[in-house]
Amino acid sequence: MIGLVRAVFALFRALGPDRSSALGGAVARAIGPLFPAHRTAMTNLREAFPDKSEAERRAIARSAWDNLGRTGAEYAHLAVLFDYDHDNPQPDARVEVDGIEHFMALRDDGKPGIIFSAHLGNWELPAICAARYGLAATAVFRAPNDPGIAHVVHEVRSQTMGGLEAARQGAAFSMARVLEEGGHLGMLIDQHFTRGVTVPFFGRPARTNPILGKFARRFDCPVHGVRVQRLPGGRFRLQLTPPLDLPRDREGLIDVEGAMAAMTAVIETWVREDPGQWLWMHRRWRPASAALKAT
């Protein structure tokens, strides 16, 4: 299986970034609606956007498949996709960064920091940006289910990013060590987490991993959000927010559930602005969330 995955990556490399991205998007648009996950996407879209027409929701779902296919094909080009140069900006650069000053402040403030993100655009680019600009950051990732794909993707990530930490049992200890040593954690927080806290997302209860809120409370460190927008012409925009003003309890400590609700609210704003670039195929809302909220 690993050999097959390597062969596919070799094909994408031979095609170049633009053609491989276009091919990946075309394939995903064609076959994505044939999978059960497409029904999940449509159900999610009906709940999230009750005022949109079914045709509008189908168009968003097709765009989401396109983005997923393009992102998959772009793994073969992660080493060359990020070409932003703050000191020598190029008008034809593939990547632009909005908020690079926040990246640099995180790098130079001598304190630990947390960066949350979501499955938007090509969500791998922020970790590459951090590595390029000397920000000591560890990206927490969930490995693909297929071992062959997971192996090759890890190879690609290792060549382009800084620290990597797989989401697994015991990972919290390694993550805490990163912050104890003054480093930074980056994590995607927009997927269902069974043992998580319940927060509102598009007006519905959603279970969310609370670990970044717990670390924010423990270390009282800056928390930023970062998103990637896919732009026309094979380009991207990275946007890093200023540090969030997270809610605190009576003791002045960051409230974990309130912190996760605040981060999720930022992600909802991003998704509403460009819904076709989010991963609607994931079962983000589940009946257990509503039941837990009611108890």
Side-chain angles (χ1 to χ4, degrees):
M1 183 63 183
I2 293 178
L4 176 61
V5 176
R6 290 189 192 280
V8 172
F9 270 52
L11 170 63
F12 284 141
R13 289 193 184 99
L15 289 174
D18 294 323
R19 287 192 295 173
S20 61
S21 178
L23 176 61
V27 171
R29 287 196 310 273
I31 68 173
L34 304 178
F35 288 98
H38 186 71
R39 293 195 294 273
T40 299
M42 292 304 298
T43 299
N44 287 339
L45 285 163
R46 292 183 190 108
E47 294 284 349
F49 298 113
D51 296 333
K52 291 188 181 295
S53 68
E54 192 70 357
E56 289 174 312
R57 291 190 284 261
R58 284 196 297 268
I60 293 172
R62 285 194 299 271
S63 294
W65 281 113
D66 178 85
N67 183 71
L68 180 60
R70 287 177 179 274
T71 300
E74 287 160 359
Y75 273 98
H77 303 283
L78 285 183
V80 298
L81 276 186
F82 189 87
D83 61 354
Y84 174 78
D85 187 341
H86 177 67
D87 298 319
N88 186 29
Q90 301 296 319
D92 59 346
R94 188 179 294 273
V95 174
E96 60 185 68
V97 179
D98 181 6
I100 190 66
E101 68 275 11
H102 301 308
F103 271 105
M104 293 179 172
L106 278 169
R107 180 192 65 190
D108 300 334
D109 65 8
K111 298 186 294 185
I114 291 171
I115 304 171
F116 67 91
S117 192
H119 290 84
L120 286 159
N122 188 320
W123 51 84
E124 301 286 354
L125 294 178
I128 300 174
C129 179
R132 293 282 179 88
Y133 281 87
L135 177 64
T138 295
V140 182
F141 67 93
R142 180 180 178 275
N145 293 329
D146 183 275
I149 296 175
H151 182 83
V152 177
V153 167
H154 184 73
E155 284 184 348
V156 173
R157 285 172 169 160
S158 299
Q159 295 167 6
T160 56
M161 302 176 186
L164 295 169
E165 179 63 43
R168 54 180 172 78
Q169 188 173 6
F173 296 103
S174 299
M175 294 165 67
R177 192 176 305 115
V178 169
L179 296 173
E180 287 168 355
E181 296 174 353
H184 306 81
L185 282 178
M187 185 173 175
L188 301 164
I189 62 165
D190 59 332
Q191 293 197 319
H192 173 80
F193 187 75
T194 302
R195 301 181 303 280
V197 295
T198 301
V199 300
F201 188 51
F202 281 84
R204 302 166 62 196
R207 298 287 282 180
T208 299
N209 191 332
I211 194 164
L212 293 190
K214 291 180 178 180
F215 283 144
R217 179 184 178 92
R218 175 177 169 183
F219 292 95
D220 200 12
C221 57
V223 176
H224 297 254
V226 64
R227 72 160 165 177
V228 181
Q229 287 179 293
R230 188 178 294 278
L231 305 176
R235 299 180 62 252
F236 303 91
R237 177 185 296 120
L238 274 67
Q239 293 182 306
L240 186 71
T241 73
L244 271 61
D245 184 13
L246 298 176
R248 296 176 180 266
D249 60 21
R250 292 180 179 179
E251 299 176 356
L253 300 174
I254 289 175
D255 177 75
V256 174
E257 185 171 336
M260 298 315 303
M263 295 181 218
T264 302
V266 172
I267 291 174
E268 180 177 335
T269 299
W270 294 341
V271 176
R272 286 186 180 277
E273 289 179 2
D274 203 338
Q277 295 194 22
W278 191 58
L279 204 64
W280 290 99
M281 297 74 82
H282 171 69
R283 291 181 58 220
R284 183 66 183 92
W285 299 273
R286 308 195 187 190
S289 298
L292 286 164
K293 188 68 174 179
T295 59

